[in-house]
């Protein structure tokens, strides 16, 4: 198994996680085999070789996890809020203690540079967890001045019940915590399904959850693919809510399954095709560097990636030249390499999909300015790729690629810009670079996106609401809005006569 690993001074605990494979499912604070006995392999995207095996949860395992989470809910949901917070803070401390190892697991399973996993993913995981833990004892109702005499009316914000969190592979642990934090703080119990490509950090988290003192059944972790594991969760009548991050196509399936089963609540964080805009009056060095990292960090596998770059015509040549120069210096390599900017894509299928968009874009008349090809023959590496285009109807411009590909175009007026920037089914994020404060805010207000960055790109914070417009989904994670996603309001009438 170790032949799949690069030369690197791994934590012994990381290697042990891999050797202990096949793992089991985490239900009721215990490790149990899938009832079918089935397992599946998770691969190292830098080599294509298997890293470890995980249990494959089927419908019977989903039933068992739901039963455990339902049994745990009455006590957890009515527990003292400060005590829930304490356990979440304890979990954050444990994650900090195990951060080096968790970062290594993220890099092995996902492929991202270890520097990014260490300085990005892991610190964000605990920042988010602590922020949401802080909300647990601040979830308040209100008193309501009704028109009836002698009636005292108040509201309570109550948890929903069993929440299923279904997450993608690009930020495995961070996505898990975005959902786990507010769901548990508000008093729900949870079933987490990590992406089949990246189960390892979630499985490791299970032991930390037990150590933090969460009662059995409060958190259950089921590994397995979308079908059958995710689909069985979305269709289960015992689940009160599905919190989903992933593709728009799967989001639609989850809504349909929710509607057909029990009208469970659904919140969706979906794909994007985010417009990033550079006006000619921008600080060019920052704008060009910003546009570069807006799309090429995480090898373009970020929902907020600034994949459509609009440049005011007067600055177009300068931006395209600058971007090309920067991009051609980016090092594509495995995540443990000494110097690496762009890691592998997550899978063979994803690499082929992205290559398909590149080929199709070229055939349709878009011009490749940089990149366009595979790197090496092992693993799933692609060059950072820049396309220049004019035709907004190109597939390359309309569809989410989820790879290291940016499409650059020139614009002449603000009206044209807004019309074209909004000409997509998506609405997750947007960026704008200009020194003109009025222009920046005009754009920020007119663009259809859940988040807009002015003279920056990609910042996410536990206190700042985050989510989509249009087919990028609905519901806002982060901030107090995340708590609203995991609670429901009860109104109580008291006759005071
Ligand atoms: P995906 O295929 O939609 O998968 C997301 C999760 O859903 C995975 O755990 C997946 O399981 C599961 N799933 C697949 N089919 C399912 C079904 N029929 N019922 C229930 N669950 C099912 O997306 P992905 O390929 O992992 O991630 C890439 C996509 O996610 C991109 O479109 C990206 O924009 C989006 N994304 C959005 C955000 C955001 O915050 N808005 C963040 C990250 C990614 P398996 O993969 O294990 O089969
Ligand atoms: Mg993997």
């Amino acid at each position: 198994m170790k032949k799949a690993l690069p030369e690197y001074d791994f934590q012994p605990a990381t290697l042990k996680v891999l050797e202990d494979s096949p793992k089991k499912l985490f239900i009721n604070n215990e490790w149990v085999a899938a009832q079918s006995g089935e397992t599946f392999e998770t691969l190292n995207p830098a080599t294509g070789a298997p890293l470890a095996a995980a249990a494959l949860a089927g419908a019977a395992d989903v039933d068992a996890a739901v039963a455990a989470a339902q049994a745990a809910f009455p006590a957890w949901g009515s527990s003292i809020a400060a005590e829930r917070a304490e356990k979440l803070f304890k979990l954050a401390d444990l994650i900090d203690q195990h951060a080096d190892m968790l970062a290594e697991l993220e890099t092995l399973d996902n492929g991202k540079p270890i520097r990014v996993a260490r300085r990005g993913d892991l610190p964000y995981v605990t920042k988010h967890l602590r922020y949401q833990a802080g909300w647990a004892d601040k979830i308040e109702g209100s008193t309501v001045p009704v028109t009836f005499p002698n009636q005292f009316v108040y509201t309570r914000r109550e948890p929903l019940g069993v929440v299923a969190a279904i997450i993608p592979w690009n930020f495995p642990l961070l996505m898990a915590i975005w959902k786990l934090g507010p769901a548990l703080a508000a008093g729900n119990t949870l079933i987490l399904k990590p992406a089949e490509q990246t189960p390892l950090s979630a499985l490791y988290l299970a032991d930390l959850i037990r150590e933090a003192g969460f009662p059995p059944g409060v958190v259950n972790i089921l590994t397995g693919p979308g079908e059958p594991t995710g689909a069985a969760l979305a269709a289960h009548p015992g689940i009160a809510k599905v919190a989903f991050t992933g593709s728009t196509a799967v989001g639609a399936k989850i809504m349909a399954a929710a509607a057909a089963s029990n009208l469970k609540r659904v919140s969706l964080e979906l794909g994007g095709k985010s417009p990033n805009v550079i006006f000619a009056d921008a600080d060019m060095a920052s704008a060009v560097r910003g546009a570069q990292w807006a799309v090429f960090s995480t090898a373009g596998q970020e929902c907020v990636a600034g994949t459509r770059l609009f440049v005011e015509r007067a600055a177009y040549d300068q931006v395209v030249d600058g971007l090309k120069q920067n991009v051609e210096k980016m090092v594509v390599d495995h995540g443990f390499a000494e110097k690496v900017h762009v890691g592998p894509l997550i899978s063979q299928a994803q690499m082929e999909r992205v290559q398909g968009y590149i080929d199709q874009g070229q055939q349709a008349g878009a011009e490749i300015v940089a990149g366009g090809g595979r790197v090496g023959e092992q693993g799933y590496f692609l060059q950072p790729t820049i396309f220049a285009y004019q035709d907004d109807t190109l597939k390359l411009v309309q569809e989410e690629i989820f790879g290291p590909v940016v499409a650059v175009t020139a614009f002449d007026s603000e009206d044209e810009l807004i019309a074209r920037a909004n000409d997509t089914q998506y609405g997750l994020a947007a960026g704008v670079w200009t020194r003109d404060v009025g222009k920046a805010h005009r754009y920020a207000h007119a663009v259809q996106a859940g988040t807009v960055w002015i003279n920056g790109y990609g910042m996410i914070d536990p206190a700042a609401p985050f989510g989509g417009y249009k087919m990028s989904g609905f519901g806002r994670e982060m901030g107090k809005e995340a708590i609203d996603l995991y609670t429901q309001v009860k109104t109580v009438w008291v006759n005071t006569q």
Side-chain angles (χ1 to χ4, degrees):
M1 188 138 322
K2 277 194 206 140
K3 71 181 178 339
L5 305 185
E7 290 291 315
Y8 187 75
D9 192 13
F10 285 100
Q11 308 277 319
T14 305
L15 299 174
K16 185 153 172 11
V17 171
L18 303 183
E19 270 155 25
D20 283 352
S21 143
K23 275 282 197 178
K24 296 181 173 173
L25 307 170
F26 185 72
I27 299 176
N28 252 332
N29 277 3
E30 282 169 21
W31 290 107
V32 295
Q35 293 188 28
S36 67
E38 275 185 81
T39 61
F40 66 99
E41 283 179 329
T42 180
L43 307 181
N44 179 348
T47 61
L51 277 172
L56 193 158
D61 305 302
V62 168
D63 285 344
V66 172
Q70 280 181 323
F73 175 66
W76 180 253
S78 59
S79 60
I80 291 173
E83 289 174 6
R84 292 199 299 275
E86 227 169 85
K87 291 191 171 53
L88 290 165
F89 282 122
K90 171 88 178 148
L91 179 61
D93 292 344
L94 288 168
I95 292 172
D96 275 344
Q97 284 162 29
H98 293 254
D100 282 348
M101 208 214 58
L102 284 163
E104 287 176 7
L105 287 178
E106 292 297 62
T107 292
L108 282 168
D109 221 2
N110 166 280
K112 66 178 65 196
I114 184 71
R115 174 180 43 82
V116 174
R118 282 223 179 95
R119 293 193 208 152
D121 294 53
L122 264 297
Y124 268 97
V125 162
T126 47
K127 243 187 354 184
H128 280 267
L129 192 50
R130 291 194 174 102
Y131 174 87
Q132 293 297 347
W135 272 115
D137 56 3
K138 295 162 196 76
I139 302 171
E140 297 173 341
S142 59
T143 57
V144 187
V146 293
T147 53
F148 290 80
N150 305 316
Q151 291 285 336
F152 168 55
V153 177
Y154 65 93
T155 64
R156 289 162 51 79
R157 255 193 188 276
E158 299 186 343
L160 300 166
V162 180
V163 171
I166 301 179
I167 58 169
W169 38 259
N170 52 354
F171 296 88
L173 201 55
L174 186 59
M175 292 292 130
I177 292 300
W178 277 15
K179 294 175 170 37
L180 179 148
L184 297 192
N188 302 279
T189 56
L190 185 80
I191 301 172
L192 169 68
K193 190 203 92 61
E196 65 181 295
Q197 297 87 347
T198 53
L200 296 179
S201 55
L203 289 171
Y204 194 83
L205 183 70
D207 283 327
L208 303 185
I209 283 166
R210 189 162 49 185
E211 198 180 334
F214 290 94
V218 169
V219 182
N220 307 276
I221 300 179
L222 299 182
T223 45
E227 312 252 1
T229 319
L233 288 167
H236 203 292
I239 290 178
K241 178 199 164 91
V242 176
F244 174 76
T245 297
S247 61
T248 294
V250 172
K253 283 191 197 174
I254 285 175
M255 269 187 92
S261 51
N262 61 342
L263 288 179
K264 56 176 67 63
R265 278 43 178 161
V266 174
S267 54
L268 303 176
E269 297 279 1
L270 307 175
K273 193 74 193 174
S274 298
N276 188 17
V277 177
I278 301 180
F279 282 100
D281 64 0
D283 168 351
M284 272 311 149
S286 316
V288 169
R289 206 170 42 245
Q292 175 193 0
W293 288 104
V295 71
F296 296 118
S297 53
T298 322
Q301 303 170 111
E302 275 187 31
C303 48
V304 298
T307 46
R308 293 182 298 143
L309 180 60
F310 293 89
V311 185
E312 196 169 11
R313 194 169 302 278
Y316 181 79
D317 288 342
Q318 187 189 353
V319 167
V320 172
D321 289 349
L323 196 57
K324 177 177 158 72
Q325 277 178 32
N326 287 3
V327 161
E328 286 178 345
K329 285 188 218 131
M330 292 183 100
V331 178
V332 181
D333 207 339
H334 69 79
F336 295 97
E338 199 118 308
K339 186 164 190 203
V340 50
H341 301 116
V342 180
L345 298 189
I346 191 67
S347 63
Q348 175 93 24
Q350 185 70 6
M351 180 179 72
E352 285 169 4
R353 219 180 122 250
V354 176
Q355 189 71 60
Y357 277 106
I358 294 173
D359 297 345
Q360 198 270 345
Q362 259 181 309
Q363 282 154 23
E367 174 208 344
I368 290 198
V369 175
R374 188 174 176 185
V375 179
E377 273 154 29
Q378 202 200 23
Y380 316 127
F381 298 93
L382 288 179
Q383 290 176 314
T385 299
I386 306 172
F387 268 103
Y389 78 97
Q390 280 97 41
D391 177 359
D392 290 323
T393 66
L394 292 178
K395 258 174 86 146
L396 172 83
V397 178
Q398 287 297 325
E399 295 181 17
E400 181 175 54
I401 297 177
F402 231 56
V405 181
V406 65
V408 193
T409 191
F411 71 91
D412 294 295
S413 72
E414 281 184 52
D415 286 348
E416 175 203 339
L417 168 69
I418 291 299
R420 294 176 67 195
N422 287 338
D423 180 20
T424 152
Q425 63 175 348
Y426 294 113
L428 192 59
V432 60
W433 302 80
T434 172
R435 287 191 170 101
D436 179 334
V437 71
K439 207 152 53 177
H441 287 280
R442 280 198 296 279
Y443 171 80
H445 297 183
V447 72
Q448 293 161 342
T451 296
V452 185
W453 293 288
I454 298 173
N455 294 329
Y457 202 95
M459 284 77 64
I460 297 222
D461 187 90
F466 176 78
Y469 274 32
K470 300 196 283 188
M471 289 180 81
S472 292
F474 48 81
R476 292 291 176 271
E477 298 190 295
M478 267 52 93
K480 184 168 187 315
E481 313 226 357
I483 295 294
D484 296 346
L485 274 191
Y486 293 95
T487 52
Q488 56 196 342
V489 174
K490 177 178 282 172
T491 305
V492 182
W493 292 69
V494 187
N495 186 343
T496 55
Q497 202 148 36

